[in-house]
Amino acid sequence: MSILVCGGAGFIGSHTVLELINRGEEVVIVDNLITGHKEAVLSGKLYIGNLCDSEFMDKVFKENNIEAVIDFAAFSLVSESVKQPLDYYENNVYGTLCLLKKMKEYGINKIVFSSTAAIYGEPESIPIKEDDRTLPTNPYGETKLAVERMLKWCDKAYGIKYVALRYFNVAGADLSGRIGEDHRPETHLIPLILQVPLGKRDKVTIFGDDYPTKDGTCIRDYIHVIDLADAHIRALNKLRKDNTSTIYNLGNGEGFTVKEVIDVARKVTGHPITSVVAERREGDPAKLVASSEKIIRELKWIPKHNTLEEIIETAWNWHKNHPNGFLH
Ligand code: UFG
């Protein structure tokens, strides 16, 4: 039987596909390649199309014996979501609704879903736990929370069991250096910092240094994409084993300021990396740090690549060998 990975040509999806294949799983990938790259799919059977194209999805489900679904297919940029909320609702909520309808039609009752720390909004306390208040401050977070709620009702009505994984700040790249992070446009801190030593920009901009943190810049919890991929496989195996729904946070439990991230990147790359301070970016909470205690306890998940050095080293290894990302 196969695992259907929706959005498997994207950054996190492609790393999870690789990890599934490494562990002997059969993998079928669906991606419309709007933000994904077919070069990121190193193995598995790739279908290019949309989750809401009913005939296309019938073909995928009929041609393969699908056991479970891992769903990464979504738009994921906070600032873009504020400008284009309807695109986010359409792609993230309606897209997953179409997928769930097909799962119901074909009797598939297991899904691992990509959720986000953005569903918490401004946290009440740090580290953030799964049952803390969810009050998103942007449409991206709202769409992910809407799907989490949809999943809860689909479990009750149709018996579709889910694990929702709420990611904090994902970065890094596969250790083999074959795949990495290539967003267009790029808005994430670590790949933007690395564009300076690559010669693609002359400086990195720090969005605000007047936050109530130790050096005034925002604190985030960075997690290696490989550790995240491992968590998806553990979530899948949990569904296989006990067939119950749940939600887990995924971070390292340690926060780094923007300035600290830039400093580590200077060390890793040996480049001075010029930075300038600008205005705050709208909607950025001062501090987001996860408690991942629940997944550590229940699924024995242990992040293996949890130092910021390793996260940035593996990202740098990919970027310096692929200065144009997946474009040749
Ligand atoms: N930042 C800068 N300069 C930049 C880019 C980012 O100072 O050029 C700062 C941001 O203000 C923020 C931090 O670096 O404080 C991290 O920013 P990212 O854009 O890399 O990531 P976000 O924390 O905004 O969001 C990411 C994902 C979301 C997810 C969130 C959960 O993009 O999808 O993590 O923590 F919801």
Side-chain angles (χ1 to χ4, degrees), residues 76-78 115-119 138 140-141 167-170 186-193 201 204-208 211 217-222 258 262 280-281 284-286 288:
S76 64
L77 301 180
V78 168
S115 188
T116 172
I119 65 147
N138 54 66
Y140 170 60
Y167 319 150
F168 282 65
N169 289 58
V170 189
E186 189 53 81
T187 64
H188 297 96
L189 181 63
I190 290 176
L192 280 176
I193 293 172
R201 63 174 59 234
V204 64
T205 305
I206 298 172
F207 296 142
Y211 285 95
T217 66
C218 285
I219 292 181
R220 292 291 181 274
D221 181 343
Y222 295 88
V258 173
I262 297 171
R280 290 181 177 196
R281 189 172 67 177
D284 273 344
L288 288 176

Side-chain angles (χ1 to χ4, degrees), residues 104-177:
K104 172 174 168 275
E105 189 181 330
Y106 286 89
I108 291 142
N109 63 359
K110 293 178 187 65
I111 179 166
V112 179
F113 174 67
S114 294
S115 188
T116 172
I119 65 147
Y120 294 110
E122 199 62 59
E124 288 173 296
S125 58
I126 296 286
I128 303 171
K129 295 203 177 65
E130 288 83 352
D131 50 10
D132 284 358
R133 179 187 68 185
T134 50
L135 198 59
T137 52
N138 54 66
Y140 170 60
E142 289 284 5
T143 60
K144 290 289 179 175
L145 186 57
V147 173
E148 283 195 10
R149 291 184 172 143
M150 185 156 66
L151 287 168
K152 183 182 83 179
W153 295 112
C154 287
D155 177 356
K156 236 181 158 66
Y158 317 127
I160 296 176
K161 301 296 170 188
Y162 66 92
V163 175
L165 299 176
R166 294 175 176 167
Y167 319 150
F168 282 65
N169 289 58
V170 189
D174 184 57
L175 304 183
S176 72

Side-chain angles (χ1 to χ4, degrees), residues 47-322:
Y47 288 80
I48 299 169
N50 284 311
L51 297 180
C52 292
D53 179 341
S54 184
E55 276 174 35
F56 164 75
M57 289 303 282
D58 281 335
K59 186 170 148 68
V60 173
F61 280 103
K62 283 183 180 146
E63 287 181 0
N64 301 282
N65 190 4
I66 306 291
E67 177 200 356
V69 175
I70 305 182
D71 181 25
F72 297 97
F75 294 149
S76 64
L77 301 180
V78 168
S79 51
E80 183 182 70
S81 79
V82 178
K83 295 187 193 99
Q84 299 161 221
L86 292 177
D87 293 338
Y88 273 67
Y89 274 87
E90 181 176 31
N91 196 43
N92 296 4
V93 181
Y94 181 56
T96 313
L97 183 150
C98 293
L99 173 65
L100 286 163
K101 274 190 151 178
K102 280 290 162 207
M103 288 175 63
K104 172 174 168 275
E105 189 181 330
Y106 286 89
I108 291 142
N109 63 359
K110 293 178 187 65
I111 179 166
V112 179
F113 174 67
S114 294
S115 188
T116 172
I119 65 147
Y120 294 110
E122 199 62 59
E124 288 173 296
S125 58
I126 296 286
I128 303 171
K129 295 203 177 65
E130 288 83 352
D131 50 10
D132 284 358
R133 179 187 68 185
T134 50
L135 198 59
T137 52
N138 54 66
Y140 170 60
E142 289 284 5
T143 60
K144 290 289 179 175
L145 186 57
V147 173
E148 283 195 10
R149 291 184 172 143
M150 185 156 66
L151 287 168
K152 183 182 83 179
W153 295 112
C154 287
D155 177 356
K156 236 181 158 66
Y158 317 127
I160 296 176
K161 301 296 170 188
Y162 66 92
V163 175
L165 299 176
R166 294 175 176 167
Y167 319 150
F168 282 65
N169 289 58
V170 189
D174 184 57
L175 304 183
S176 72
R178 288 175 299 165
I179 54 174
E181 184 169 9
D182 182 358
H183 292 113
R184 286 152 203 269
E186 189 53 81
T187 64
H188 297 96
L189 181 63
I190 290 176
L192 280 176
I193 293 172
L194 295 177
Q195 285 182 1
V196 181
L198 279 179
K200 298 175 85 177
R201 63 174 59 234
D202 55 5
K203 57 183 181 300
V204 64
T205 305
I206 298 172
F207 296 142
D209 67 352
D210 56 352
Y211 285 95
T213 60
K214 55 184 166 185
D215 62 19
T217 66
C218 285
I219 292 181
R220 292 291 181 274
D221 181 343
Y222 295 88
I223 172 171
H224 200 293
V225 66
I226 299 178
D227 288 325
L228 194 66
D230 174 63
H232 286 78
I233 296 167
R234 285 173 194 269
L236 172 68
N237 288 335
K238 173 203 155 49
L239 289 172
R240 283 170 167 159
K241 199 167 131 206
D242 69 11
N243 208 34
T244 56
S245 299
T246 197
I247 294 174
Y248 296 115
N249 280 344
L250 277 170
N252 276 314
E254 195 182 352
F256 293 93
T257 67
V258 173
K259 285 185 178 167
E260 286 172 334
V261 177
I262 297 171
D263 274 342
V264 174
R266 287 182 178 129
K267 239 182 272 158
V268 167
T269 61
H271 188 283
I273 309 183
T274 307
S275 64
V276 288
V277 176
E279 290 296 292
R280 290 181 177 196
R281 189 172 67 177
E282 205 188 334
D284 273 344
K287 190 169 180 187
L288 288 176
V289 178
S291 162
S292 302
E293 190 262 332
K294 185 177 171 196
I295 191 164
I296 292 169
R297 188 181 66 243
E298 294 187 4
L299 303 190
K300 313 279 175 263
W301 176 74
I302 298 168
K304 294 192 184 73
H305 309 281
N306 55 353
T307 64
L308 196 51
E309 280 77 6
E310 190 169 358
I311 292 172
I312 295 179
E313 258 162 32
T314 54
W316 176 234
N317 182 38
W318 190 75
H319 284 291
K320 72 176 182 221
N321 292 312
H322 301 82

Side-chain angles (χ1 to χ4, degrees), residues 33-45:
L33 300 183
I34 290 180
T35 55
H37 307 275
K38 63 175 185 309
E39 298 79 4
V41 179
L42 299 182
S43 202
K45 197 165 157 192

